[in-house]
Amino acid sequence: MSRIGKKPVTMPSGVTATTEGSTLTVKGPKGTLSLQMVDEVRYDVADGSISVEPANDSQRARAFWGMQRTLVQNLVTGVTEGFSKTLEITGVGYRAAMQGKNLRLQLGYSHDVNVEVPADLTVATPDQTTIVISGADPQRVGQLAAEIRQWRKPEPYKGKGIKYRGEYIFRKEGKKK
């Protein structure tokens, strides 16, 4: 029995959910998100909640049960509150700035790195060393954050690079004389 899967997903006011074919669509103030439904799991949209139950007693249905409930919860959270990730840049001369719809990164290369921001995400730079990525879809937010971080991963000797806020960088001792 899935402890997570047993709980129904409550929908706040202003959020509507519909099922069409094999797609669950959730609409809210921050946009519309959809999820491809799995055949092994049954989705029931009732008044103010969405319940997720296994369609049969197979191992595959029970394995999908809790995960699908969490994905439905992410849809509801995304259209109401949204998701965000914060990146921090450490290093002398490393900085970030928004230029129109592009994020311009100066990371010690001979050229500036321009990252295109998708239309469904918003990127803000409160200061030169902080990047805040926000949007309704947690997968898209995380993917863009990972692509930005890929340009200069934090290194263990001086700690220079782009890291997630709250991420611990294991520091190594340098050469000894």
Side-chain angles (χ1 to χ4, degrees), residues 159-174:
K160 294 167 48 170
I162 303 173
K163 69 180 185 96
Y164 296 110
R165 176 166 283 164
E167 178 183 10
Y168 175 74
I169 305 300
F170 180 75
R171 299 296 295 269
K172 293 182 180 179
E173 191 175 346

Side-chain angles (χ1 to χ4, degrees), residues 40-90:
E40 287 87 1
V41 178
R42 188 171 60 242
Y43 306 83
D44 296 322
V45 179
D47 53 323
S49 68
I50 304 170
S51 61
V52 179
E53 299 169 355
N56 51 38
D57 288 335
S58 69
Q59 172 64 36
R60 185 173 166 88
R62 286 180 287 135
F64 275 113
W65 184 16
M67 181 191 67
Q68 290 297 312
R69 190 261 181 208
T70 303
L71 292 176
V72 170
Q73 177 67 51
N74 284 347
L75 293 181
V76 173
T77 305
V79 298
T80 55
E81 302 167 14
F83 293 93
S84 68
K85 285 205 180 269
T86 304
L87 299 171
E88 296 173 342
I89 301 174
T90 307

Side-chain angles (χ1 to χ4, degrees), residues 1-9 51-53 65-66 69:
M1 292 294 286
S2 173
R3 294 183 191 184
I4 294 172
K6 284 190 225 176
K7 300 176 187 173
V9 178
S51 61
V52 179
E53 299 169 355
W65 184 16
R69 190 261 181 208

Side-chain angles (χ1 to χ4, degrees), residues 96-145:
M98 283 299 294
Q99 280 189 332
K101 295 200 179 269
N102 290 334
L103 177 67
R104 183 171 168 230
L105 301 170
Q106 294 176 345
L107 300 172
Y109 296 120
S110 61
H111 60 283
D112 294 346
V113 176
N114 290 318
V115 178
E116 288 187 35
V117 178
D120 59 338
L121 300 178
T122 59
V123 175
T125 51
D127 57 31
Q128 292 183 342
T129 60
T130 306
I131 303 168
V132 178
I133 304 165
S134 58
D137 189 359
Q139 194 277 331
R140 305 255 310 154
V141 170
Q143 181 67 37
L144 182 62

